[in-house]
């Protein structure tokens, strides 16, 4: 953008200045992002069309003549035949002619020969054969690094992939040292191999890498297979590295939850590491960013009690300030209010002594509410009320502490009768508890973290979703009933229909699936273009709502037919819910 702005300024200042701009046709669409620039260059365009027969012959023969090389007539005709009706083949022609020239120099010949061309593999095989030879000559560790380098040098596009320049120093991470990266990149860039180039950035010792030609990106079969396999990883990697770069630019603040990964974004990063971490694709900054985000998430989870204490501390501060100003108030009004507040506080104390902590907590909030509305109460009364709130708050926390899981708890649900609690965890288990916090059963069977769980309406069946791409059904005794398989990516959300006969599951595979209680798939709801994060049934069970990272909510009937798409969010939608009467839908989003 800075370059375009400078160029526009120059054009405006110099009337007699003529600028010639050459642009590849596949990049012209990108110029629309800079309308002021497009306006300035809105002159008659000269399109350079595909070369005709004579022009191809000239492109083959003239460079050879300039260096004193002859070309066999049979080779020239074969090259023309191979290129003329092959769109996009000019880069391959350039690479092939370069290899023919190198072979002629090695053999000390003054002619480019058809036999050599055939040995190289022809217009399509020359690059493929050379790239495979270079890659196969590397050790297993070097091959892993080479694969990463070539993927890093690829910019994934919507219709066409292009080259991307990368600074070598930015690729250093916990998997690949600078020494290893430097050694492999030198091998790939050597005069014998020439798959990539190495150059020094101006005023810097850092090495900049680039592919020798985009023909490598578009025509080398092995790289095409890697891209197809790791496209998802490359897109996520790009997002994570961009977020990490922004974090660095803003001072790498370790406590800024707004900049760090939280919620669904952190889950996506952790899933990326689980599936693709061994590739070592992320740079060191992104690795640090994820680790700091994980630490912050754990800190938030573990410090909820401190948040409560902080709230009480603020209230105490308000107490001191209010006490100072309360001296100016009417003594009679103050005494009346104090009597009422003390009575409510004593009621809370009695409930707490009677081992009714939840009721004690609710009762202790009433005098606190009155304290917030009045300034005419003595400081000691306020402190006593706050102490009762603190006692009730900690009493409830202690009473309700269920701590058998060995990793983060991701979801919790009550049975309809309110007597059983189910909790899901990253430790790959579901645990059942009674209201006194006694551990009843541990449900094991998932091979990856459990992300969501739900009770059926009759309270007899529990459904759990997992990163292992399955949904499992259990009874209240912890017995495994069925495993629902069919999703190709982690399952993120679950819900039972009101009649308890249908289960809906949402997944990172962009779909919602409907199942019966025997685990039989009924319908697959397709239409979202990004992972589905939440799913809900309407109260009458006839409509399903799904939320997605594609910024939309979609409505469906029980047959899986799409009814409506709700647009308006500008960021991924993370949760969706129906009102009790089924007439209103609420959606939550990162925006």
């Amino acid at each position: 953008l800075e370059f375009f702005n400078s160029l526009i300024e120059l054009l405006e200042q110099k009337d007699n200045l003529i600028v010639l701009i050459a642009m590849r046709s596949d990049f012209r669409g990108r110029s629309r992002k800079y309308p002021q620039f497009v306006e300035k260059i809105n002159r008659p365009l000269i399109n350079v069309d595909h070369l005709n027969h004579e022009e191809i012959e000239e492109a083959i023969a003239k460079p050879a003549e300039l260096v004193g090389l002859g070309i066999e007539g049979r080779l020239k005709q074969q090259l023309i035949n191979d290129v003329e009706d092959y769109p996009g083949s000019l880069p391959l022609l350039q690479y092939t002619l370069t290899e023919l020239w190198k072979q002629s120099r090695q053999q000390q010949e003054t002619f480019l020969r058809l036999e050599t061309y055939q040995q190289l593999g022809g217009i399509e095989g020359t690059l493929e054969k050379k790239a495979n030879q270079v890659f196969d000559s590397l050790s297993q560790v070097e091959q892993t690094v080479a694969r990463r380098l070539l993927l890093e040098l690829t910019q994934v596009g919507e219709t066409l992939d292009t080259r991307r320049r990368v600074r070598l120093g930015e690729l250093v991470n916990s998997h690949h040292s600078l020494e290893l990266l430097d050694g492999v990149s030198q091998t790939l860039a050597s005069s014998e191999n020439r798959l990539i180039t190495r150059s020094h950035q101006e005023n810097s010792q850092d090495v900049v890498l680039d592919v020798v030609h985009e023909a490598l990106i578009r025509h080398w079969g092995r790289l095409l297979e890697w891209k197809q396999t790791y496209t998802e990883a490359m897109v996520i990697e790009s997002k994570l590295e961009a977020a990490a770069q922004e974090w660095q630019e803003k001072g790498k603040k370790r406590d800024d939850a707004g900049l760090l990964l939280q919620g669904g974004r952190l889950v996506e990063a952790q899933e990326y590491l689980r599936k693709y971490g061994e590739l070592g694709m992320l740079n060191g900054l992104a690795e640090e960013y994820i680790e700091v985000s994980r630490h912050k998430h754990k800190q938030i989870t573990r410090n909820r009690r401190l948040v409560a204490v902080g709230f009480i501390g603020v209230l105490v501060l308000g107490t001191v300030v209010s006490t100072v100003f309360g001296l100016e108030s009417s003594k009679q009004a103050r005494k009346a209010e104090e009597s009422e507040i003390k009575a409510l506080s004593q009621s809370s104390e009695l409930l707490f002594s009677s081992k009714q902590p939840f009721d004690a907590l609710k009762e202790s909030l009433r005098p606190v509410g009155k304290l917030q509305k009045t300034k005419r109460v003595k400081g000691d009364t306020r402190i006593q009320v706050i102490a009762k709130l603190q006692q009730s708050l900690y009493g409830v926390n202690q009473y309700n502490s269920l701590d058998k899981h060995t990793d983060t708890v991701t979801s919790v649900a009550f049975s309809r009768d309110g007597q059983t609690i189910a909790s899901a965890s990253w430790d790959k288990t579901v645990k059942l508890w009674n209201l006194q916090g006694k551990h009843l059963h541990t449900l094991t069977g998932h091979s990856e973290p459990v992300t969501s769980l739900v009770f059926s309406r009759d309270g007899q069946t529990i459904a759990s979703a997992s990163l292992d791409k399955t949904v499992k059904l259990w009874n209240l005794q912890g017995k495994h009933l069925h495993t629902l398989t069919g999703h190709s990516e982690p399952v993120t959300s679950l819900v039972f229909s009101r009649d308890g006969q249908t289960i809906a599951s949402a997944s990172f595979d962009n779909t919602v699936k409907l199942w019966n209680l025997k685990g039989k798939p009924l319908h697959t709801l397709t239409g979202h273009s990004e992972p589905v994060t939440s799913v809900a049934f309407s109260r009458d069970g006839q409509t399903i709502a799904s939320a997605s990272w594609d910024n939309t909510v979609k409505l469906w009937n029980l047959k899986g037919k799409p009814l409506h798409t709700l647009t308006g969010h500008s960021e991924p939608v993370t949760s969706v819910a129906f009102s009790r009467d089924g007439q209103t839908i609420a959606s939550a989003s990162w925006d």
Side-chain angles (χ1 to χ4, degrees):
L1 182 59
E2 184 179 351
F3 168 76
F4 285 141
N5 289 337
S6 299
L7 188 57
I8 291 169
E9 184 179 351
L10 185 63
L11 290 170
E12 289 174 345
Q13 292 177 356
K14 304 289 184 180
D15 294 334
N16 60 345
L17 179 67
I18 296 175
V19 179
L20 297 178
I21 299 176
M23 185 181 295
R24 278 173 25 185
S25 59
D26 52 323
F27 280 93
R28 281 186 54 187
R30 299 187 186 183
S31 64
R32 298 192 192 99
K33 296 179 181 178
Y34 312 98
Q36 289 181 311
F37 175 69
V38 172
E39 184 180 347
K40 286 294 180 184
I41 64 169
N42 190 18
R43 302 287 187 272
L45 300 175
I46 300 174
N47 288 316
V48 180
D49 295 323
H50 294 296
L51 302 185
N52 58 33
H53 185 98
E54 291 75 18
E55 290 168 335
I56 293 173
E57 182 175 1
E58 188 175 350
I60 294 169
K62 287 291 184 182
E65 290 176 10
L66 290 174
V67 294
L69 279 176
I71 301 179
E72 278 187 351
R74 294 185 305 157
L75 171 60
K76 186 189 298 183
Q77 189 56 52
Q78 186 65 54
L79 285 167
I80 294 171
N81 293 342
D82 289 347
V83 170
E84 191 170 16
D85 296 319
Y86 186 177
S89 61
L90 287 181
L92 289 174
L93 175 62
Q94 177 188 356
Y95 190 89
T96 302
L97 288 172
T98 303
E99 289 301 308
L100 283 168
W101 170 70
K102 287 171 62 179
Q103 291 292 321
S104 69
R105 291 186 65 189
Q106 289 177 6
Q107 297 168 15
Q108 298 182 338
E109 292 186 343
T110 57
F111 266 82
L112 303 183
R113 303 187 183 280
L114 177 62
E115 181 182 0
T116 307
Y117 175 69
Q118 292 170 337
Q119 289 172 352
L120 287 172
I123 198 72
E124 287 185 317
T126 301
L127 175 61
E128 179 86 13
K129 187 175 180 179
K130 179 65 176 180
N132 284 336
Q133 286 176 349
V134 174
F135 187 79
D136 291 339
S137 69
L138 301 174
S139 69
Q140 188 173 353
V141 172
E142 291 172 332
Q143 286 183 353
T144 301
V145 176
R147 178 177 60 184
R148 180 193 173 196
L149 289 176
L150 291 163
L151 287 172
E152 291 279 12
L153 294 172
T154 301
Q155 179 67 52
V156 177
E158 294 181 4
T159 56
L160 200 63
D161 295 341
T162 54
R163 70 204 305 167
R164 181 170 85 106
R165 301 178 78 211
V166 176
R167 286 192 288 271
L168 185 66
E170 292 181 350
L171 301 180
V172 176
N173 61 19
S174 60
H175 296 268
H176 304 139
S177 66
L178 179 60
E179 182 181 8
L180 180 58
L181 290 164
D182 189 55
V184 175
S185 66
Q186 286 191 42
T187 300
L188 297 179
S190 68
S191 58
E192 296 80 19
N193 297 330
R194 293 187 68 254
L195 295 184
I196 67 172
T197 63
R198 287 167 48 99
S199 59
H200 284 281
Q201 194 174 21
E202 189 176 353
N203 301 322
S204 171
Q205 294 299 311
D206 204 358
V207 175
V208 177
L209 306 181
D210 196 357
V211 291
V212 71
H213 204 290
E214 282 182 359
L216 186 71
I217 293 172
R218 299 178 185 173
H219 297 283
W220 184 22
R222 197 172 259 172
L223 181 52
L224 292 174
E225 289 178 8
W226 294 339
K227 286 194 294 180
Q228 185 176 8
T229 303
Y230 303 120
T231 293
E232 178 191 15
M234 293 166 71
V235 171
I236 297 174
E237 172 211 341
S238 178
K239 287 163 56 179
L240 289 172
E241 291 183 348
Q245 184 64 37
E246 181 184 5
W247 175 62
Q248 183 181 52
E249 290 169 357
K250 295 185 177 180
K252 295 175 71 172
K253 298 175 181 176
R254 304 178 76 87
D255 290 322
D256 190 340
L259 282 175
L260 297 174
L261 298 169
Q262 297 294 321
R265 294 171 67 206
L266 182 57
V267 171
E268 181 185 37
Q270 290 173 326
E271 177 63 8
Y272 166 87
L273 290 177
R274 185 183 72 82
K275 292 177 67 175
Y276 304 111
E278 291 303 314
L279 284 177
M281 292 284 287
L282 282 178
N283 61 32
L285 177 63
E287 287 184 330
E288 181 187 2
Y289 178 57
I290 294 174
E291 187 57 36
V292 171
S293 297
R294 278 174 162 173
H295 178 75
K296 181 62 177 176
H297 174 71
K298 289 182 178 179
Q299 186 182 54
I300 291 172
T301 302
R302 292 171 181 172
N303 290 347
R304 284 173 180 164
R305 289 187 181 180
L306 293 179
V307 172
V309 171
F311 163 74
I312 292 171
V314 171
L315 200 55
V316 170
L317 180 60
T319 296
V320 175
V321 175
S322 297
T323 301
V324 174
F325 288 100
L327 295 174
E328 301 176 2
S329 301
S330 165
K331 290 183 179 181
Q332 279 304 109
R334 186 183 66 198
K335 286 181 179 179
E337 288 174 341
E338 280 187 348
S339 296
E340 183 182 3
I341 289 171
K342 285 180 178 179
L344 290 170
S345 185
Q346 288 171 356
S347 175
S348 169
E349 175 68 22
L350 288 171
L351 288 167
F352 187 81
S353 301
S354 303
K355 300 190 183 302
Q356 300 179 57
F358 283 99
D359 292 333
L361 177 59
K362 288 191 293 182
E363 193 68 15
S364 68
L365 290 172
R366 293 177 63 192
V368 171
K370 290 188 174 293
L371 282 177
Q372 291 176 319
K373 295 177 182 178
T374 182
K375 299 176 182 178
R376 298 180 294 186
V377 176
K378 290 181 179 179
D380 59 344
T381 301
R382 286 179 173 270
I383 292 172
Q384 288 173 12
V385 170
I386 293 165
K388 294 294 188 295
L389 171 62
Q390 190 172 15
Q391 173 183 270
S392 299
L393 182 62
Y394 285 143
V396 170
N397 281 344
Q398 182 62 38
Y399 177 83
N400 204 29
S401 177
L402 315 177
D403 53 9
K404 295 288 186 182
H405 284 294
T406 59
D407 208 333
T408 303
V409 179
T410 56
S411 182
V412 66
F414 271 100
S415 60
R416 186 170 174 79
D417 64 7
Q419 299 304 303
T420 306
I421 304 165
S423 58
S425 170
W426 278 76
D427 66 11
K428 306 176 188 177
T429 72
V430 172
K431 292 185 182 294
L432 303 183
W433 321 75
N434 65 17
L435 285 185
Q436 287 69 47
K438 180 183 178 182
H439 176 230
L440 304 176
H441 302 287
T442 297
L443 286 52
T444 59
H446 284 296
S447 59
E448 295 292 341
V450 186
T451 56
S452 181
L453 60 82
V454 64
F455 277 96
S456 62
R457 188 170 174 80
D458 64 7
Q460 299 305 303
T461 305
I462 302 159
S464 59
S466 170
L467 294 183
D468 66 11
K469 309 174 188 177
T470 72
V471 174
K472 291 184 181 290
L473 303 183
W474 322 77
N475 65 18
L476 280 183
Q477 288 68 50
K479 180 183 177 182
H480 175 235
L481 304 176
H482 301 286
T483 296
L484 286 52
T485 58
H487 283 297
S488 58
E489 294 292 340
V491 186
T492 56
S493 181
L494 282 175
V495 65
F496 274 97
S497 61
R498 187 171 172 80
D499 64 8
Q501 299 305 303
T502 306
I503 303 165
S505 59
S507 169
F508 266 49
D509 65 10
N510 306 355
T511 72
V512 172
K513 290 185 181 290
L514 303 182
W515 321 76
N516 65 19
L517 289 185
K518 300 295 184 184
K520 178 183 177 182
L522 304 175
H523 302 285
T524 297
L525 286 52
T526 58
H528 283 296
S529 59
E530 294 287 342
V532 186
T533 55
S534 181
V535 63
F537 272 103
S538 61
R539 189 170 174 81
D540 64 7
Q542 298 305 302
T543 306
I544 300 158
S546 57
S548 170
W549 283 3
D550 64 12
N551 306 354
T552 72
V553 172
K554 290 184 181 290
L555 303 182
W556 321 75
N557 65 19
L558 280 182
K559 301 296 183 184
K561 179 182 177 182
L563 304 176
H564 303 286
T565 296
L566 314 182
T567 59
H569 284 296
S570 58
E571 294 288 342
V573 188
T574 56
S575 186
V576 65
F578 279 95
S579 62
R580 188 172 177 83
D581 63 7
Q583 299 304 302
T584 306
I585 301 163
S587 58
S589 167
W590 290 355
D591 62 15

mmCIF file of all heavy atoms in Angstrom, residues 415-417 420 432 443 454-463 473-479 481 496 517:
data_model
loop_
_atom_site.group_PDB
_atom_site.id
_atom_site.type_symbol
_atom_site.label_atom_id
_atom_site.label_comp_id
_atom_site.label_asym_id
_atom_site.label_seq_id
_atom_site.Cartn_x
_atom_site.Cartn_y
_atom_site.Cartn_z
ATOM 1 N N SER A 415 -28.833 -33.695 34.953
ATOM 2 C CA SER A 415 -29.959 -34.523 34.515
ATOM 3 C C SER A 415 -31.245 -33.745 34.775
ATOM 4 O O SER A 415 -31.275 -32.804 35.587
ATOM 5 C CB SER A 415 -29.985 -35.848 35.269
ATOM 6 O OG SER A 415 -30.118 -35.611 36.661
ATOM 7 N N ARG A 416 -32.342 -34.106 34.083
ATOM 8 C CA ARG A 416 -33.589 -33.342 34.195
ATOM 9 C C ARG A 416 -34.138 -33.343 35.620
ATOM 10 O O ARG A 416 -34.735 -32.366 36.071
ATOM 11 C CB ARG A 416 -34.630 -33.903 33.216
ATOM 12 C CG ARG A 416 -35.902 -33.066 33.157
ATOM 13 C CD ARG A 416 -36.789 -33.500 32.011
ATOM 14 N NE ARG A 416 -38.056 -32.808 32.040
ATOM 15 C CZ ARG A 416 -38.259 -31.564 31.616
ATOM 16 N NH1 ARG A 416 -37.249 -30.873 31.129
ATOM 17 N NH2 ARG A 416 -39.459 -31.027 31.668
ATOM 18 N N ASP A 417 -33.931 -34.446 36.374
ATOM 19 C CA ASP A 417 -34.437 -34.484 37.749
ATOM 20 C C ASP A 417 -33.514 -33.757 38.730
ATOM 21 O O ASP A 417 -33.806 -33.664 39.926
ATOM 22 C CB ASP A 417 -34.657 -35.930 38.205
ATOM 23 C CG ASP A 417 -33.351 -36.730 38.261
ATOM 24 O OD1 ASP A 417 -32.273 -36.137 38.078
ATOM 25 O OD2 ASP A 417 -33.435 -37.951 38.475
ATOM 26 N N THR A 420 -28.277 -35.699 39.184
ATOM 27 C CA THR A 420 -26.995 -36.178 38.666
ATOM 28 C C THR A 420 -26.330 -35.080 37.840
ATOM 29 O O THR A 420 -26.995 -34.371 37.081
ATOM 30 C CB THR A 420 -27.186 -37.429 37.785
ATOM 31 O OG1 THR A 420 -27.909 -38.415 38.520
ATOM 32 C CG2 THR A 420 -25.841 -38.004 37.357
ATOM 33 N N LEU A 432 -19.675 -38.875 36.289
ATOM 34 C CA LEU A 432 -20.988 -38.641 36.866
ATOM 35 C C LEU A 432 -20.850 -38.435 38.367
ATOM 36 O O LEU A 432 -20.061 -39.120 39.036
ATOM 37 C CB LEU A 432 -21.914 -39.827 36.578
ATOM 38 C CG LEU A 432 -22.106 -40.201 35.090
ATOM 39 C CD1 LEU A 432 -23.110 -41.340 34.967
ATOM 40 C CD2 LEU A 432 -22.561 -38.990 34.280
ATOM 41 N N LEU A 443 -16.871 -42.541 32.697
ATOM 42 C CA LEU A 443 -17.204 -43.106 31.388
ATOM 43 C C LEU A 443 -15.976 -42.980 30.490
ATOM 44 O O LEU A 443 -15.585 -41.884 30.102
ATOM 45 C CB LEU A 443 -18.388 -42.353 30.769
ATOM 46 C CG LEU A 443 -19.792 -42.608 31.352
ATOM 47 C CD1 LEU A 443 -19.848 -42.443 32.853
ATOM 48 C CD2 LEU A 443 -20.816 -41.687 30.695
ATOM 49 N N VAL A 454 -24.546 -34.035 26.872
ATOM 50 C CA VAL A 454 -25.936 -33.654 27.106
ATOM 51 C C VAL A 454 -26.715 -34.858 27.611
ATOM 52 O O VAL A 454 -26.413 -36.003 27.237
ATOM 53 C CB VAL A 454 -26.558 -33.077 25.805
ATOM 54 C CG1 VAL A 454 -26.611 -34.126 24.712
ATOM 55 C CG2 VAL A 454 -27.924 -32.482 26.058
ATOM 56 N N PHE A 455 -27.680 -34.619 28.496
ATOM 57 C CA PHE A 455 -28.601 -35.661 28.956
ATOM 58 C C PHE A 455 -29.821 -35.706 28.042
ATOM 59 O O PHE A 455 -30.280 -34.661 27.552
ATOM 60 C CB PHE A 455 -29.088 -35.359 30.377
ATOM 61 C CG PHE A 455 -28.163 -35.799 31.471
ATOM 62 C CD1 PHE A 455 -27.257 -34.912 32.027
ATOM 63 C CD2 PHE A 455 -28.217 -37.098 31.963
ATOM 64 C CE1 PHE A 455 -26.411 -35.298 33.055
ATOM 65 C CE2 PHE A 455 -27.377 -37.493 32.995
ATOM 66 C CZ PHE A 455 -26.473 -36.603 33.541
ATOM 67 N N SER A 456 -30.371 -36.906 27.849
ATOM 68 C CA SER A 456 -31.669 -37.006 27.187
ATOM 69 C C SER A 456 -32.737 -36.461 28.130
ATOM 70 O O SER A 456 -32.517 -36.327 29.338
ATOM 71 C CB SER A 456 -31.974 -38.462 26.825
ATOM 72 O OG SER A 456 -32.050 -39.252 28.004
ATOM 73 N N ARG A 457 -33.918 -36.140 27.577
ATOM 74 C CA ARG A 457 -34.958 -35.508 28.381
ATOM 75 C C ARG A 457 -35.415 -36.406 29.533
ATOM 76 O O ARG A 457 -35.737 -35.920 30.623
ATOM 77 C CB ARG A 457 -36.153 -35.142 27.485
ATOM 78 C CG ARG A 457 -37.213 -34.318 28.189
ATOM 79 C CD ARG A 457 -38.240 -33.786 27.205
ATOM 80 N NE ARG A 457 -39.334 -33.124 27.882
ATOM 81 C CZ ARG A 457 -39.306 -31.886 28.363
ATOM 82 N NH1 ARG A 457 -38.212 -31.172 28.236
ATOM 83 N NH2 ARG A 457 -40.349 -31.355 28.960
ATOM 84 N N ASP A 458 -35.420 -37.737 29.315
ATOM 85 C CA ASP A 458 -35.840 -38.639 30.396
ATOM 86 C C ASP A 458 -34.707 -38.915 31.386
ATOM 87 O O ASP A 458 -34.890 -39.624 32.376
ATOM 88 C CB ASP A 458 -36.384 -39.954 29.827
ATOM 89 C CG ASP A 458 -35.323 -40.755 29.070
ATOM 90 O OD1 ASP A 458 -34.128 -40.365 29.102
ATOM 91 O OD2 ASP A 458 -35.688 -41.755 28.427
ATOM 92 N N GLY A 459 -33.515 -38.372 31.120
ATOM 93 C CA GLY A 459 -32.402 -38.494 32.057
ATOM 94 C C GLY A 459 -31.732 -39.854 32.072
ATOM 95 O O GLY A 459 -30.833 -40.089 32.882
ATOM 96 N N GLN A 460 -32.107 -40.736 31.156
ATOM 97 C CA GLN A 460 -31.575 -42.094 31.174
ATOM 98 C C GLN A 460 -30.391 -42.306 30.246
ATOM 99 O O GLN A 460 -29.682 -43.303 30.342
ATOM 100 C CB GLN A 460 -32.688 -43.090 30.803
ATOM 101 C CG GLN A 460 -33.870 -43.085 31.759
ATOM 102 C CD GLN A 460 -33.424 -43.327 33.198
ATOM 103 O OE1 GLN A 460 -32.787 -44.334 33.510
ATOM 104 N NE2 GLN A 460 -33.743 -42.380 34.079
ATOM 105 N N THR A 461 -30.174 -41.355 29.330
ATOM 106 C CA THR A 461 -29.096 -41.501 28.343
ATOM 107 C C THR A 461 -28.231 -40.246 28.341
ATOM 108 O O THR A 461 -28.729 -39.122 28.444
ATOM 109 C CB THR A 461 -29.680 -41.720 26.927
ATOM 110 O OG1 THR A 461 -30.567 -42.829 26.953
ATOM 111 C CG2 THR A 461 -28.557 -41.999 25.924
ATOM 112 N N ILE A 462 -26.939 -40.464 28.228
ATOM 113 C CA ILE A 462 -25.970 -39.368 28.126
ATOM 114 C C ILE A 462 -25.279 -39.492 26.775
ATOM 115 O O ILE A 462 -24.858 -40.592 26.383
ATOM 116 C CB ILE A 462 -24.926 -39.442 29.249
ATOM 117 C CG1 ILE A 462 -25.604 -39.409 30.614
ATOM 118 C CG2 ILE A 462 -23.910 -38.307 29.127
ATOM 119 C CD1 ILE A 462 -24.749 -39.970 31.729
ATOM 120 N N ALA A 463 -25.173 -38.383 26.072
ATOM 121 C CA ALA A 463 -24.423 -38.346 24.808
ATOM 122 C C ALA A 463 -23.186 -37.479 25.007
ATOM 123 O O ALA A 463 -23.256 -36.405 25.605
ATOM 124 C CB ALA A 463 -25.285 -37.781 23.691
ATOM 125 N N LEU A 473 -22.958 -42.857 23.271
ATOM 126 C CA LEU A 473 -24.142 -42.878 24.126
ATOM 127 C C LEU A 473 -23.885 -43.807 25.308
ATOM 128 O O LEU A 473 -23.305 -44.897 25.151
ATOM 129 C CB LEU A 473 -25.365 -43.358 23.332
ATOM 130 C CG LEU A 473 -25.723 -42.548 22.074
ATOM 131 C CD1 LEU A 473 -26.997 -43.095 21.442
ATOM 132 C CD2 LEU A 473 -25.879 -41.068 22.393
ATOM 133 N N TRP A 474 -24.341 -43.391 26.506
ATOM 134 C CA TRP A 474 -24.114 -44.132 27.749
ATOM 135 C C TRP A 474 -25.393 -44.145 28.573
ATOM 136 O O TRP A 474 -26.240 -43.267 28.435
ATOM 137 C CB TRP A 474 -23.021 -43.460 28.588
ATOM 138 C CG TRP A 474 -21.863 -42.893 27.826
ATOM 139 C CD1 TRP A 474 -21.827 -41.729 27.114
ATOM 140 C CD2 TRP A 474 -20.541 -43.457 27.712
ATOM 141 N NE1 TRP A 474 -20.585 -41.524 26.565
ATOM 142 C CE2 TRP A 474 -19.769 -42.572 26.920
ATOM 143 C CE3 TRP A 474 -19.943 -44.615 28.204
ATOM 144 C CZ2 TRP A 474 -18.431 -42.803 26.599
ATOM 145 C CZ3 TRP A 474 -18.604 -44.848 27.891
ATOM 146 C CH2 TRP A 474 -17.869 -43.963 27.106
ATOM 147 N N ASN A 475 -25.514 -45.141 29.472
ATOM 148 C CA ASN A 475 -26.618 -45.085 30.431
ATOM 149 C C ASN A 475 -26.104 -44.500 31.751
ATOM 150 O O ASN A 475 -24.915 -44.188 31.893
ATOM 151 C CB ASN A 475 -27.273 -46.458 30.626
ATOM 152 C CG ASN A 475 -26.322 -47.468 31.255
ATOM 153 O OD1 ASN A 475 -25.305 -47.113 31.849
ATOM 154 N ND2 ASN A 475 -26.647 -48.745 31.098
ATOM 155 N N LEU A 476 -26.999 -44.350 32.734
ATOM 156 C CA LEU A 476 -26.617 -43.695 33.992
ATOM 157 C C LEU A 476 -25.656 -44.524 34.837
ATOM 158 O O LEU A 476 -25.067 -44.014 35.792
ATOM 159 C CB LEU A 476 -27.872 -43.383 34.819
ATOM 160 C CG LEU A 476 -28.640 -42.124 34.408
ATOM 161 C CD1 LEU A 476 -29.806 -41.899 35.347
ATOM 162 C CD2 LEU A 476 -27.727 -40.910 34.399
ATOM 163 N N GLN A 477 -25.531 -45.808 34.509
ATOM 164 C CA GLN A 477 -24.581 -46.652 35.233
ATOM 165 C C GLN A 477 -23.179 -46.599 34.600
ATOM 166 O O GLN A 477 -22.267 -47.294 35.034
ATOM 167 C CB GLN A 477 -25.077 -48.107 35.273
ATOM 168 C CG GLN A 477 -26.263 -48.327 36.207
ATOM 169 C CD GLN A 477 -27.520 -47.650 35.723
ATOM 170 O OE1 GLN A 477 -27.911 -47.802 34.563
ATOM 171 N NE2 GLN A 477 -28.181 -46.906 36.604
ATOM 172 N N GLY A 478 -23.057 -45.769 33.542
ATOM 173 C CA GLY A 478 -21.760 -45.625 32.895
ATOM 174 C C GLY A 478 -21.489 -46.660 31.823
ATOM 175 O O GLY A 478 -20.382 -46.756 31.306
ATOM 176 N N LYS A 479 -22.513 -47.459 31.476
ATOM 177 C CA LYS A 479 -22.336 -48.485 30.441
ATOM 178 C C LYS A 479 -22.403 -47.844 29.060
ATOM 179 O O LYS A 479 -23.298 -47.054 28.767
ATOM 180 C CB LYS A 479 -23.411 -49.561 30.577
ATOM 181 C CG LYS A 479 -23.284 -50.662 29.532
ATOM 182 C CD LYS A 479 -24.416 -51.679 29.659
ATOM 183 C CE LYS A 479 -24.317 -52.746 28.554
ATOM 184 N NZ LYS A 479 -25.422 -53.720 28.621
ATOM 185 N N LEU A 481 -23.368 -47.624 25.335
ATOM 186 C CA LEU A 481 -24.474 -48.179 24.555
ATOM 187 C C LEU A 481 -24.155 -48.219 23.061
ATOM 188 O O LEU A 481 -24.282 -49.256 22.424
ATOM 189 C CB LEU A 481 -25.738 -47.337 24.794
ATOM 190 C CG LEU A 481 -26.175 -47.185 26.259
ATOM 191 C CD1 LEU A 481 -27.370 -46.245 26.351
ATOM 192 C CD2 LEU A 481 -26.502 -48.547 26.861
ATOM 193 N N PHE A 496 -30.211 -33.166 22.191
ATOM 194 C CA PHE A 496 -31.315 -34.101 21.989
ATOM 195 C C PHE A 496 -32.558 -33.312 21.561
ATOM 196 O O PHE A 496 -32.772 -32.183 22.019
ATOM 197 C CB PHE A 496 -31.647 -34.833 23.305
ATOM 198 C CG PHE A 496 -30.825 -36.064 23.566
ATOM 199 C CD1 PHE A 496 -29.706 -36.006 24.376
ATOM 200 C CD2 PHE A 496 -31.187 -37.285 23.013
ATOM 201 C CE1 PHE A 496 -28.954 -37.125 24.636
ATOM 202 C CE2 PHE A 496 -30.436 -38.424 23.267
ATOM 203 C CZ PHE A 496 -29.315 -38.342 24.075
ATOM 204 N N LEU A 517 -31.581 -43.113 18.438
ATOM 205 C CA LEU A 517 -30.956 -43.570 19.679
ATOM 206 C C LEU A 517 -30.183 -44.874 19.519
ATOM 207 O O LEU A 517 -29.461 -45.274 20.446
ATOM 208 C CB LEU A 517 -32.019 -43.733 20.774
ATOM 209 C CG LEU A 517 -32.605 -42.432 21.317
ATOM 210 C CD1 LEU A 517 -33.559 -42.713 22.470
ATOM 211 C CD2 LEU A 517 -31.507 -41.494 21.778
#
